[in-house]
Amino acid sequence: MGVFSNLGPKQKIFLVLISLIVVLFLLENLLPFQIISPLQKILLPVQASIYKTRKDVGGLFQTVFEVGSLRSKNQNLEQEVAFLQSENARLEKLEGENKILKDQLGVKSPKNKSILASVVGEDPIFSSSRLLLDKGSRDGVTNSSIVFVKDILIGQIFSVGSHSSTVRLLSDPETKIPVVTKSGVQGLAQGEFGNQLVLTKVAQNKKITEGEFIFTSGESGLPRGMVVGRLGKVDYDPAQLFQKGQITLLLEPSLLEIMFISVEDR
Amino acid sequence: MSKNFSFFVLALYLSALLQVSVLAIPIGILLIMIWYLANGSKHLIIISLLFSLFLSSGSNIRISYILLATTLSLAIFVVGRDYLPHRFTATVGLAVFGIITWEVALFILVGLKI
């Protein structure tokens, strides 16, 4: 008590703040999500509308600046759609065959369902490799739930609140995913600072080519065969132990407004 | 509580919203520093706690982590003000250093996941 009375007003304030940090830390461990949960429920719609407005305004400016290149971009996209439609038709046929074979072998699909989540915010720390989604533990989202669009992997849930969750995008420096190329070469997709994703740990005797699709290999708790991206420039240096290549994402996550989260069917 | 304080709390909430929706810069910390320059340490605890609460609800980061980063950043600013000359450049330098400290501290705490 004597020590406390000897402290100045500023020192007392910081002492109270440190005590509060300790109390909050203990409370958060004892009662996860309980402190911010009611506030989150009230404030999340406001946050979602501000985020959407910012996206809309940003999109409008981007369209104005890019209007010159839109025609050629559109032509390229039309061509790409035609290629993809033909590939899709072939894959649908293969999927049908695959289903028949699975039924015959008695393979059961995992009991997972996907829920729709809207992007409501970004990481408050100076980086854009994490996004906030409007689905949380009450919707069945858990740490390491997978976030995707169609068959394209977007990221993995990193922290879960009661009404929201944070997805760590593939380009986050902490991302490390075992992958396999279309030709069957194994490697590791790793996020790097500056929102980049690279393919590493590819043995020098394996051949990887630019433009190849990259899929999850089914290790580290991720389902097999999800699209990670397309292989870009490959750095081949015989002096190095492994080959390395840039991975181009098929979808730019920061432009997405909705995503799917894989949750266990309850 | 005065009307000014109520407006300040609203500004803190908006700053937390802007940080998770528009630009990942802790404008709230800057506001708290400005409050300190104008009003001294009056309501400093409540303000820091509210800012941490708003940002925690909007970002899913633990409130104790945000409050720790905020306290650290404020401590640097307050101690710096006591020891450095009260010039504009020194104050701006301290504020920038405080913001960087906040970002780095939170980045480390979130990464550590204690």
Side-chain angles (χ1 to χ4, degrees):
Chain A
M1 207 57 197
V3 178
F4 192 75
S5 56
N6 287 340
L7 295 173
K10 286 175 194 168
Q11 287 164 317
K12 279 180 187 167
I13 284 172
F14 284 110
L15 199 67
V16 172
L17 279 171
I18 290 163
S19 313
L20 271 172
I21 292 162
V22 175
V23 171
L24 286 169
F25 182 78
L26 294 173
L27 270 175
E28 279 173 320
N29 281 329
L30 291 170
L31 309 160
F33 322 127
Q34 297 302 313
I35 302 170
I36 58 162
S37 177
L39 194 68
Q40 211 171 41
K41 194 178 174 182
I42 302 164
L43 302 181
L44 211 60
V46 184
Q47 188 178 344
S49 56
I50 288 191
Y51 185 74
K52 198 174 177 319
T53 310
R54 175 240 159 170
K55 283 272 164 200
D56 291 346
V57 173
L60 183 74
F61 278 109
Q62 204 174 1
T63 311
V64 171
F65 288 126
E66 287 180 355
V67 79
S69 61
L70 281 179
R71 186 176 290 187
S72 64
K73 211 181 238 181
N74 190 37
Q75 274 177 343
N76 290 339
L77 285 174
E78 274 176 11
Q79 202 175 29
E80 205 165 327
V81 165
F83 289 141
L84 289 172
Q85 275 172 342
S86 71
E87 195 174 337
N88 197 30
R90 191 176 62 83
L91 288 173
E92 270 176 21
K93 193 171 160 261
L94 286 172
E95 195 185 5
E97 286 173 11
N98 190 24
K99 195 176 176 298
I100 293 165
L101 284 170
K102 271 186 175 174
D103 287 343
Q104 280 176 352
L105 290 167
V107 178
K108 284 180 183 167
S109 302
K111 281 184 178 177
N112 274 8
K113 65 169 182 175
S114 46
I115 54 166
L116 190 70
S118 299
V119 183
V120 291
E122 288 174 2
D123 201 9
I125 307 167
F126 198 73
S127 122
S128 58
S129 53
R130 286 168 198 171
L131 295 174
L132 192 79
L133 305 178
D134 70 342
K135 293 288 183 288
S137 59
R138 67 185 182 134
D139 306 290
V141 180
T142 53
N143 261 331
S144 77
S145 288
I146 293 149
V147 181
F148 60 96
V149 173
K150 265 279 206 194
D151 285 333
I152 302 166
L153 183 68
I154 302 293
Q156 219 167 353
I157 296 295
F158 160 76
S159 94
V160 189
S162 59
H163 295 80
S164 66
S165 52
T166 311
V167 54
R168 180 196 288 142
L169 302 174
L170 294 178
S171 54
D172 189 276
E174 284 183 41
T175 297
K176 282 184 182 71
I177 303 169
V179 290
V180 61
T181 64
K182 198 178 177 183
S183 55
V185 177
Q186 301 249 342
L188 193 74
Q190 208 170 322
E192 285 192 343
F193 280 102
N195 283 327
Q196 283 190 326
L197 185 65
V198 291
L199 176 69
T200 58
K201 304 279 185 281
V202 177
Q204 289 287 10
N205 60 347
K206 303 284 181 189
K207 192 176 183 308
I208 48 172
T209 34
E210 205 173 317
E212 257 189 302
F213 278 100
I214 293 164
F215 304 92
T216 51
S217 67
E219 294 156 90
S220 303
L222 289 167
R224 188 184 161 83
M226 295 199 87
V227 183
V228 173
R230 221 168 183 169
L231 191 60
K233 192 173 167 262
V234 179
D235 295 329
Y236 179 72
D237 182 0
Q240 295 290 320
L241 199 57
F242 297 110
Q243 294 181 75
K244 197 176 175 183
Q246 298 288 327
I247 300 175
T248 312
L249 299 176
L250 296 189
L251 291 172
E252 177 50 57
S254 62
L255 299 176
L256 296 172
E257 285 181 10
I258 51 164
M259 298 173 180
F260 291 90
I261 310 175
S262 173
V263 295
E264 214 169 288
D265 206 356
R266 287 183 285 188
Chain B
M1 303 265 170
S2 64
K3 201 175 171 183
N4 279 352
F5 183 75
S6 309
F7 277 119
F8 188 77
V9 171
L10 189 69
L12 270 185
Y13 169 57
L14 286 176
S15 76
L17 265 186
L18 288 178
Q19 195 178 341
V20 290
S21 311
V22 182
L23 193 63
I25 288 176
I27 309 156
I29 285 290
L30 203 64
L31 287 179
I32 298 173
M33 288 169 183
I34 293 168
W35 174 275
Y36 175 76
L37 292 177
N39 303 296
S41 52
K42 191 181 163 194
H43 302 320
L44 205 58
I45 297 171
I46 301 171
I47 287 167
S48 307
L49 195 62
L50 282 174
F51 169 67
S52 308
L53 191 67
F54 292 146
L55 195 61
S56 174
S57 79
S59 68
N60 243 343
I61 294 175
R62 294 174 74 148
I63 185 172
S64 54
Y65 290 179
I66 299 175
L67 189 59
L68 181 56
T70 306
T71 306
L72 196 67
S73 170
L74 270 178
I76 287 169
F77 186 75
V78 171
V79 173
R81 285 276 301 167
D82 285 348
Y83 288 97
L84 291 174
H86 286 200
R87 282 192 196 137
F88 179 72
T89 43
T91 309
V92 171
L94 271 174
V96 172
F97 187 63
I99 287 170
I100 294 168
T101 307
W102 187 92
E103 291 267 359
V104 173
L106 198 59
F107 182 80
I108 292 169
L109 286 167
V110 172
L112 284 176
K113 270 197 153 187
I114 308 161

